[in-house]
Amino acid sequence: MKRLVAASSLAVALAACSSSKTDAPPAPPDPLALVTPIDESPDPNVLQIKLEAKESTKTFGSSPPTAVWSFGGTIPGPLLDAKVGDRVVVDFQNSLPEPTTVHWHGIRLPAAMDGTLAMQQPIPPGGRFHYEFTLKDAGLFWYHPHMRSDIQVQKGLYGAIRVRGPNEPTSDDERVLVLDDVRLKDDGSLAEYLDDTAQMMGREGNTLLVNGITNATIPVRAGAATRFRLVNTANGRFFNLRLPGHLWRVIGTDGGLLPKPYDAEHLLIAPGERYDVMLIPNGAPGSSIDLMDDPYERGHESGKRAPNVVAHVKIADDAPLAGRVLPTSFPAIDPLPPAQKTIPLTLDEASKGDGFVFTINGATFPDVPMIDVERNGLRTLEVKNASDMDHPFHLHGFFFQPIEKNGAPLPLESTGKKDTIIVPGKTTLKLLTRFDEPGMWMYHCHILEHAEGGMMGEIHVME
Ligand code: C2O
Ligand code: CU
Ligand code: CU
């Protein structure tokens, strides 16, 4: 997959192609474009890259440059763009002043490549690690460290992975949107903080980022079938997205396309989750619509939140495209047979000293008892959230199919394959999984302060 560093997005490429004038000025550089890495392999089915985690500086909006950590110098790190069946080969170099690992969130791979301390040694400062795996599933995934993840991800270590499959819908424009927030101090520097609120709710910033940009403008074309692929990489913030005058056609989530897409006014995305959505922008050429993050009560808050503007969706000056329709169905997902055995997991919180701990079955990691499953074992994860606040539950290495909420079957639209799911306060979800890959696998809350605060455990899939 030989390719140079490409800065242009599909949207810009298409916009340029659709221009009828050959002497049109070149399209302006796309500020939301994600850097793609140099592919060192001539084989079209291999993506071979170098990836370096390092100390960097970044300018957020009009603030002065501040010290951050990044993959390769940009936040987000490079977009890995590939297709199902491709081999990904990563020569990783740790140039940070502390140990790290790289975890490939949502990708089904051999456990030794999963980047957790259950399966590999910390990569010391100056050290390297060779990651290599084959992409089995289409979807949007992401990568981030799995050591002191609350700090390392917050400092800027994250990037997206887009894997195309055989059933991609047709669209005119497509864009990957990586959502995050950072807390900047008055002088524009990145705050290193962990106060009690941050520990309880997860760290939330005062500055929202789309592809690393504050106050971003997302260019769209009226009438175009437009696809957005979103990932929330924030430590603790839930994004509750609404685009006034539009509905989101939700076509996929963590584990790929949904058999039955559905429309929603709000798209609620917890840390770690991904959504694949389409819409047909309507609005006057040249006008702009604010993309809103509406208040969502996730426990312990009592209506303190205000709406935020995430970005401005700017409609191009071109005449609207006509006749576009959005997809209404995709191939069915094979249902797993019912599991004979259940793994009960109770999520809770408790105060300890001046702070809090976050528990699974009454214990904090690493004291949460390990769960053994035979290879290919089918299990129902019965995740009971006994606390008052939502916890986004994440399982490494496998997708699960959500089947029940508080004893009632879930509607078809909620049963797509997931690896991260919001378990609302005082709610029990049943998630069905087949553990078909041996090794040690982590599961945890994806509010990273909660994971580091104890809400994490290990599943051992026996050989
Ligand atoms: Cu994205 Cu263990 O997590
Ligand atoms: Cu993960
Ligand atoms: Cu949590």
Side-chain angles (χ1 to χ4, degrees):
M1 219 191 275
K2 197 87 185 164
R3 184 168 37 200
L4 293 174
V5 176
S8 66
S9 76
L10 184 60
V12 165
L14 284 165
C17 293
S18 67
S19 163
S20 54
K21 282 193 227 138
T22 48
D23 57 352
D30 179 356
L32 288 187
L34 296 165
V35 166
T36 55
I38 294 173
D39 183 353
E40 296 177 345
S41 170
D43 185 332
N45 303 317
V46 175
L47 174 60
Q48 183 173 348
I49 63 165
K50 288 194 165 66
L51 189 68
E52 182 185 16
K54 59 181 187 181
E55 295 175 289
S56 315
T57 56
K58 178 167 171 80
T59 303
F60 293 104
S62 54
S63 297
T66 182
V68 295
W69 289 357
S70 76
F71 286 113
T74 61
I75 298 177
L79 170 70
L80 276 53
D81 219 347
K83 60 185 189 306
V84 171
D86 282 356
R87 189 85 176 150
V88 177
V89 182
V90 180
D91 174 12
F92 174 70
Q93 158 97 37
N94 180 13
S95 302
L96 301 171
E98 67 178 46
T100 194
T101 61
V102 187
H103 167 55
W104 312 93
H105 181 130
I107 293 189
R108 295 192 300 138
L109 39 55
M113 295 289 119
D114 194 44
T116 70
L117 297 187
M119 291 299 297
Q120 76 167 96
Q121 294 297 317
I123 306 163
R128 306 179 92 87
F129 196 85
H130 182 93
Y131 289 101
E132 186 168 344
F133 46 87
T134 298
L135 299 169
K136 298 179 180 173
D137 304 290
L140 186 72
F141 306 97
W142 63 298
Y143 58 96
H144 62 79
H146 225 274
M147 287 187 69
R148 296 217 308 158
S149 60
D150 55 342
I151 292 166
Q152 295 197 359
V153 175
Q154 171 64 21
K155 278 173 168 283
L157 292 169
Y158 59 82
I161 306 168
R162 175 170 53 188
V163 185
R164 295 188 183 282
N167 296 308
E168 299 295 333
T170 41
S171 61
D172 297 301
D173 299 334
E174 178 181 327
R175 195 179 275 281
V176 173
L177 297 176
V178 182
L179 307 176
D180 190 14
D181 63 348
V182 285
R183 177 164 293 266
L184 299 178
K185 295 192 284 198
D186 290 344
D187 65 0
S189 62
L190 191 63
E192 301 202 23
Y193 72 104
L194 187 58
D195 56 24
D196 287 351
T197 9
Q199 195 196 16
M200 178 50 102
M201 302 309 290
R203 221 176 266 227
E204 288 188 77
N206 52 11
T207 305
L208 303 185
L209 303 179
V210 177
N211 296 3
I213 306 282
T214 60
N215 205 18
T217 294
I218 304 172
V220 297
R221 296 185 292 158
T226 305
R227 183 176 184 189
F228 292 127
R229 312 189 64 172
L230 299 121
V231 52
N232 180 357
T233 66
N235 279 37
R237 177 179 296 276
F238 289 41
F239 283 88
N240 192 26
L241 300 179
R242 178 175 57 92
L243 186 64
H246 296 75
L247 293 176
W248 307 107
R249 171 73 48 94
V250 182
I251 63 166
T253 181
D254 305 347
L257 297 168
L258 296 172
K260 196 167 163 287
Y262 62 95
D263 289 343
E265 184 178 20
H266 281 98
L267 190 65
L268 178 64
I269 317 179
E273 284 190 296
R274 285 90 65 210
Y275 278 94
D276 195 343
V277 299
M278 291 186 72
L279 52 75
I280 298 176
N282 62 75
S287 67
S288 177
I289 310 167
D290 286 345
L291 174 61
M292 301 304 300
D293 168 29
D294 280 343
Y296 168 74
E297 170 67 46
R298 60 184 172 100
H300 290 318
E301 299 186 303
S302 55
K304 285 193 303 253
R305 284 178 187 272
N308 300 299
V309 176
V310 180
H312 313 283
V313 173
K314 176 91 174 33
I315 303 195
D317 292 327
D318 322 3
L321 300 175
R324 302 302 198 265
V325 288
L326 298 178
T328 53
S329 70
F330 292 107
I333 297 170
D334 288 339
L336 288 170
Q340 302 306 320
K341 293 186 186 163
T342 293
I343 299 175
L345 299 172
T346 298
L347 314 180
D348 209 349
E349 66 200 36
S351 46
K352 187 182 177 190
D354 306 332
F356 304 93
V357 291
F358 296 90
T359 60
I360 297 176
N361 294 344
T364 53
F365 186 78
D367 299 325
V368 180
M370 197 202 306
I371 296 159
D372 285 325
V373 179
E374 74 284 1
R375 187 171 187 177
N376 288 321
L378 271 167
R379 293 290 185 280
T380 301
L381 301 173
E382 190 172 9
V383 187
K384 175 180 175 184
N385 182 352
S387 75
D388 292 318
M389 68 190 301
D390 294 13
H391 294 288
F393 175 86
H394 171 48
L395 174 66
H396 283 217
F398 310 92
F399 296 119
F400 47 75
Q401 297 180 359
I403 48 175
E404 248 183 59
K405 179 178 184 175
N406 292 335
L410 283 165
L412 180 63
E413 64 185 41
S414 307
T415 57
K417 290 190 235 171
K418 297 280 288 170
D419 56 59
T420 309
I421 193 168
I422 298 171
V423 190
K426 304 288 185 221
T427 296
T428 301
L429 293 184
K430 282 191 186 169
L431 314 170
L432 187 56
T433 311
R434 187 194 295 281
F435 290 93
D436 55 3
E437 186 69 35
M440 301 284 295
W441 301 98
M442 315 293 303
Y443 63 93
H444 57 88
C445 177
H446 220 290
I447 292 176
L448 297 173
E449 288 71 18
H450 295 181
E452 297 291 336
M455 197 175 272
M456 180 147 76
E458 287 173 357
I459 294 177
H460 178 208
V461 181
M462 292 168 289
E463 201 53 74

